[in-house]
């Protein structure tokens, strides 16, 4: 079963011209297009499949400051306010709620790491509460065990992955922007060395600016123009159970299981750090740049299979603008879930929380998390092609910081004061090694 997704109607006609074309209808692309339209720009959002159809609807739905890398924390903090402001301004429902996030642990080293982050977070004005063993066990009374400690971050929350990107797309259309689904972008045209048009399977849109928010497809798209964007995708599997008695927290993480309550009262369940690395030509190309990441996180990854090759998003081939591309052959990345991971997740969940046995398993799905060598997204205009702004490699963090990222990208495009410092995100940093720069969380 694929992840639940609210469907959006497409605009009737592709425009001949736009101020900005946003390539990719995930959470970052949709919020980018929305904030650009708020500035009065004519925006076209072009998506090869369905808005929110890939990782933006397949994630946990967490919107957190807790345990954010120092480079991402300012954007995470701004995003929480923007989630609330978006709902107030548009009336659109994203399911966002500051429900608080609960972390529980039996690992002293992990608890000490959370305490160090708490001390750092205080310097940034972020509130997080360390929990003693008694406090953690009280908050974790839904489980069948005591806990050594934990963290509760009261101002963090969750949003609904099935509704968030579609809500931003509808808000874009309400401002006069257009949304074009099942419409792959095949490539770009240039004039005088600068971007001049975006070529889609349905026609060409003349524009001076394009935002590439293509998620797992971004690196292969960049490769068409000799732009080196190191990217590797990790296949993550989650499962879902239906609604039942309200005895579990809205969002909880532990080494045994992580869970998030959905809008229907059901829960998404997953084991953090159980990703699969599917070997592909692109993975092999950038493997040396990812050595620092893999050496730091190898315990959380395991070899995958041929799903990456089958999906076709990490090829190194060049494609033509007048012929179908791999994106038209694979409209929506929908990799097979790891059945062993599903069984292990369910078994762990039932062992930790026996009352979950009262809930029906409603589905399981997988998605590709697009990662960079340092675990921080690439956002900024690429030197090789003026007018092309990269917004990809969100490394599993893109959903929660989607509004802040979209706002920052709109700031860059419109030349207004940026909502956060853009320097830590600029893609030029990928020319250097990631040794000593990998995000801790």
């Amino acid at each position: 079963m694929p992840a639940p997704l609210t469907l959006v109607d497409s605009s009737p006609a592709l425009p001949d011209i736009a101020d900005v074309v946003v390539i990719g209808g995930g959470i970052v692309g949709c919020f980018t297009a929305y904030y650009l339209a708020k500035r009065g720009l004519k925006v076209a959002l072009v998506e090869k499949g369905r808005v929110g159809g890939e990782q933006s609807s397949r994630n946990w739905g967490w919107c957190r400051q807790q345990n954010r890398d120092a480079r991402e924390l300012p954007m995470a903090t701004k995003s929480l306010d923007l989630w609330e402001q978006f709902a107030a301004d548009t009336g659109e429902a994203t399911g966002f709620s500051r429900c608080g996030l609960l972390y529980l642990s039996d690992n002293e080293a992990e608890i000490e790491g959370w305490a160090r982050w708490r001390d750092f977070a205080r310097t940034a004005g972020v509130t997080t509460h360390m929990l003693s063993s008694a406090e953690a066990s009280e908050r974790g009374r839904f489980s069948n065990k005591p806990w050594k400690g934990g963290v509760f971050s009261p101002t963090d929350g969750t949003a609904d992955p099935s509704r968030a990107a579609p809500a931003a797309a509808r808000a874009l259309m309400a401002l006069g922007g257009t949304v074009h689904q099942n419409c792959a972008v095949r490539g770009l045209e240039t004039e005088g060395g600068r971007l001049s048009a975006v070529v889609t399977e349905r026609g060409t849109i003349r524009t001076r600016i394009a935002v590439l928010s293509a998620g797992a497809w971004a690196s292969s798209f960049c490769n068409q123009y000799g732009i080196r964007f190191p990217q590797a995708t990790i296949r993550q599997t989650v499962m879902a159970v239906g609604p039942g008695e309200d005895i579990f927290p809205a969002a909880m993480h532990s080494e045994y299981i992580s869970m998030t309550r959905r809008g229907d009262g059901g829960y998404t369940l997953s084991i953090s750090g159980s990703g699969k690395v599917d070997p592909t030509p692109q993975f092999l190309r950038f493997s040396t740049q990812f050595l620092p990441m893999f050496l730091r996180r190898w315990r959380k990854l395991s070899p995958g299979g041929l799903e990456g090759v089958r999906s076709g998003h990490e090829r190194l081939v060049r494609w033509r603008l007048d012929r179908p591309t791999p994106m038209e052959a694979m409209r929506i990345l929908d990799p097979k879930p790891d059945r062993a991971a599903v069984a292990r997740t369910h078994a762990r969940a039932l062992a930790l929380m026996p009352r979950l046995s009262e809930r029906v398993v409603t589905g399981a799905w997988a998605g590709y998390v697009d990662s960079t060598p340092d675990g921080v997204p690439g956002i900024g205009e690429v030197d090789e092609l003026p007018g092309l702004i990269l917004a990809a490699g969100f490394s599993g963090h893109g959903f929660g910081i989607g509004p802040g990222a979209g706002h920052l990208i709109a700031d860059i495009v419109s030349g207004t004061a940026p909502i956060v410092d853009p320097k830590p995100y600029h893609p030029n940093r990928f020319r250097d090694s990631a040794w000593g720069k990998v995000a801790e969380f």
Side-chain angles (χ1 to χ4, degrees):
M1 171 185 169
L5 178 64
T6 301
L7 300 183
V8 175
D9 292 331
S10 294
S11 301
L14 197 73
D16 294 325
I17 190 170
D19 294 320
V20 186
V21 175
V22 177
I23 305 169
I27 193 73
V28 173
C30 288
F31 270 112
T32 296
Y34 166 72
Y35 286 116
L36 286 166
K38 282 197 72 174
R39 287 161 168 76
L41 297 176
K42 183 179 180 181
V43 184
L45 176 68
V46 185
E47 163 58 45
K48 62 180 174 51
R50 301 294 312 196
V51 163
E54 295 188 343
Q55 190 57 21
S56 292
S57 61
R58 296 162 187 259
N59 60 84
W60 293 5
W62 284 32
C63 306
R64 64 178 172 89
Q65 299 167 104
Q66 178 68 35
N67 290 341
R68 285 284 186 195
D69 184 84
R71 291 161 287 187
E72 284 187 355
L73 182 58
M75 186 180 289
T77 300
K78 293 289 187 182
S79 292
L80 289 169
D81 293 335
L82 291 174
W83 278 108
E84 292 179 321
Q85 183 181 335
F86 173 79
D89 289 348
T90 66
E92 291 283 353
T94 63
F96 176 74
S97 170
R98 288 188 188 251
C99 56
L101 305 181
L102 175 63
Y103 292 64
L104 299 171
S105 181
D106 288 327
N107 186 313
E108 294 287 357
E110 185 175 47
I111 295 169
E112 290 172 3
W114 293 343
R116 288 193 298 272
W117 189 91
R118 183 269 317 271
D119 295 340
F120 152 71
R122 283 174 174 166
T123 67
V126 176
T127 300
T128 187
H129 302 306
M130 295 300 300
L131 304 177
S132 67
S133 177
E135 292 168 330
S137 297
E138 171 60 23
R139 286 188 177 271
R141 60 188 180 277
F142 56 87
S143 67
N144 68 349
K145 66 181 300 302
W147 298 90
K148 287 186 177 180
V151 177
F152 183 68
S153 50
T155 59
D156 289 351
T158 64
D160 188 342
S162 72
R163 293 190 287 168
R170 287 193 301 269
L172 161 68
M173 288 189 281
L175 293 172
T178 58
V179 174
H180 310 279
Q181 298 173 102
N182 292 308
C183 182
V185 171
R186 291 179 173 174
L188 309 170
E189 292 182 349
T190 60
E191 259 181 33
R194 181 184 174 86
L195 189 145
S196 62
V198 171
V199 180
T200 81
E201 62 180 292
R202 297 185 189 171
T204 299
I205 307 173
R206 288 183 291 122
T207 187
R208 298 276 289 172
I209 301 175
V211 176
L212 182 62
S213 54
W217 297 86
S219 184
S220 60
F221 192 97
C222 285
N223 187 51
Q224 307 305 306
Y225 301 94
I227 300 167
R228 186 180 175 88
F229 174 41
Q231 187 180 39
T233 56
I234 309 300
R235 177 162 48 96
Q236 298 277 12
T237 294
V238 301
M239 63 172 294
V241 295
E245 187 179 356
D246 188 12
I247 60 173
F248 302 110
M252 184 277 294
H253 164 77
S254 74
E255 65 175 317
Y256 308 106
I257 201 77
S258 297
M259 63 191 307
T260 311
R261 186 166 58 225
R262 301 193 310 275
D264 64 357
Y267 276 85
T268 298
L269 307 174
S270 183
I271 298 174
S272 179
S274 60
K276 294 285 188 180
V277 180
D278 294 330
T280 64
Q282 181 176 291
F283 170 80
L284 295 174
R285 178 191 184 197
F286 295 127
S287 58
T288 56
Q289 283 190 259
F290 277 90
L291 274 177
M293 171 76 74
F294 291 140
L295 289 174
R296 188 181 187 100
R297 302 184 180 179
W298 66 270
R299 292 181 181 87
K300 297 183 178 182
L301 301 171
S302 60
L306 297 178
E307 279 297 296
V309 173
R310 183 186 70 83
S311 296
H313 62 294
E314 292 192 344
R315 298 181 184 179
L316 297 180
V317 298
R318 301 287 180 95
W319 55 71
R320 291 174 49 171
L321 302 186
D322 60 349
R323 292 184 180 178
T325 66
M327 294 173 289
E328 290 151 80
M330 181 62 71
R331 294 282 179 184
I332 296 176
L333 283 175
D334 187 25
K336 295 178 181 177
D338 180 351
R339 290 298 168 187
V342 173
R344 187 166 62 251
T345 299
H346 198 212
R348 282 197 188 186
L350 294 181
L352 185 65
M353 299 167 286
R355 293 289 298 275
L356 271 178
S357 63
E358 302 168 7
R359 296 176 178 239
V360 176
V361 175
T362 57
W365 56 84
Y368 279 111
V369 175
D370 57 310
S371 299
T372 62
D374 58 10
V376 176
I379 301 174
E381 187 172 27
V382 297
D383 292 344
E384 295 89 340
L385 183 49
L388 179 64
I389 296 175
L390 180 66
F394 280 79
S395 305
H397 307 158
F399 184 80
I401 63 175
H407 198 297
L408 173 62
I409 297 159
D411 295 338
I412 293 171
V413 170
S414 60
T416 58
I419 192 171
V420 296
D421 182 4
K423 291 180 183 177
Y425 308 108
H426 200 281
N428 281 354
R429 74 182 193 278
F430 297 129
R431 298 170 182 171
D432 301 323
S433 169
W435 289 106
K437 303 172 186 177
V438 177
E440 185 171 353
F441 297 101

